[in-house]
Amino acid sequence: MDCNRCDEEAIMHAAYSGAHLCSDHFRESVEKRVRRRVRRDDLVPHDATPENPQTWVIGLSGGKDSVVLTQILHDTFAEDPRIELVGLTIHEGIEGYRDKSLEACVDLTDDLGIRHEVVSYEEEFGVRMDDVVEDDPENMAACAYCGVFRRDLLSKYADELEADLLLTGHNLDDEAQSALMNFLEGDVEQMAKHFDASLGPLSERDEQDEFVPRAKPLRDVPEKEVALYAHVNDLPAHITECPHSSEAYRGEIQQLLYGLEENHPGTRHSILSGYEELAGILSDEFSGDDGADLQECVECGSTTTREVCRKCSLLESLV
């Protein structure tokens, strides 16, 4: 099958749009969607100047999503003195897994010439995920511990690096799954928080001075297209699932969406588009509400809604 835009052989078919694209036009399509999202979400403020540049910290795991996001953002802003990119890698302490993906992060950042910072659970918390999984004092899935620790370190170091924005490599599948989970759980307040935390254009979000704003410029691109982009561009991505991954509910939602997308191409896009619009309405509805009182954790000083933050209570259970 030939590419719809030229006479070259197509390397992919997007059932949701009907497009057949060659390697060059496929690359162009992915990059265009990421850059369009950057514009739509107002990520580059009007007052950014070479004298007052923006620092964008990217959560760089070494997996396909964060590697592709870093590459595209670098290609987009390499000649723009208003934007400085910094890669931030979290080492969880998973034998043989994160070490290999860390190599991918180092290779990428060295090749692109961008700053790269690495922090670890072991240095910060005195724990390794391999040991946490073995002990499991709270009888929880590994991802439940890891998610709390990872979010804490991303927030902490984004703040220490004086970031104006924290970017993560969530793709279309990730966000459609989260949207459907919130729908099925009936968690309308979480939908509003989702909009203000990372989905809404920066100009439309409720201000959250306590946290570095987050953004997800890759969220219009399906997971398989992200993987293909990494392959076509020969990027140093470590494409292997975490050995401790065990989010059972999300896994069920993932399989459900696979089936829906197969039978009804475009389902993921429709879910996310409707979800974003609804989340924006809910954000307006909850805007101005007092909400939960934020305070400093008595143990570590991080912003939390409780006396002792979730991270510290989990660490206490592991002692």
Side-chain angles (χ1 to χ4, degrees), residues 124-125 151-161 311:
E124 294 290 324
F125 306 137
R151 283 190 295 273
D152 180 86
L153 289 184
L154 284 173
S155 295
K156 174 183 176 181
Y157 278 88
D159 190 55
E160 289 194 8
L161 291 166
K311 173 205 67 185

Side-chain angles (χ1 to χ4, degrees), residues 117-131:
E117 300 290 337
V118 182
V119 297
S120 72
Y121 289 1
E122 189 165 27
E123 292 175 353
E124 294 290 324
F125 306 137
V127 302
R128 294 172 56 84
M129 272 308 299
D130 285 340
D131 299 326

Side-chain angles (χ1 to χ4, degrees), residues 27 50 76 90 98-100 108 117 151-152 155 167 180 189 212 217 223 226 232-233 237 248 252 272 277 314:
R27 288 192 194 96
T76 304
I90 311 297
R98 186 55 71 205
D99 294 323
K100 291 181 179 178
L108 180 69
E117 300 290 337
R151 283 190 295 273
D152 180 86
S155 295
L167 303 108
L180 193 52
E189 189 168 355
V212 173
E223 182 176 22
V226 177
V232 167
N233 288 276
E252 289 183 48
L272 189 55
E277 186 172 351
L314 286 179

Side-chain angles (χ1 to χ4, degrees), residues 140-152:
M140 301 191 308
C143 297
Y145 293 98
C146 200
V148 171
F149 297 153
R150 171 178 289 277
R151 283 190 295 273
D152 180 86

Side-chain angles (χ1 to χ4, degrees), residues 262-281:
E262 179 71 23
N263 295 323
H264 310 281
T267 295
R268 293 165 302 183
H269 292 84
S270 298
I271 288 174
L272 189 55
S273 177
Y275 177 80
E276 289 181 0
E277 186 172 351
L278 178 58
I281 294 170

Side-chain angles (χ1 to χ4, degrees), residues 73-81 85:
L73 291 178
H74 172 267
D75 292 345
T76 304
F77 293 106
E79 304 301 322
D80 191 335
L85 301 179

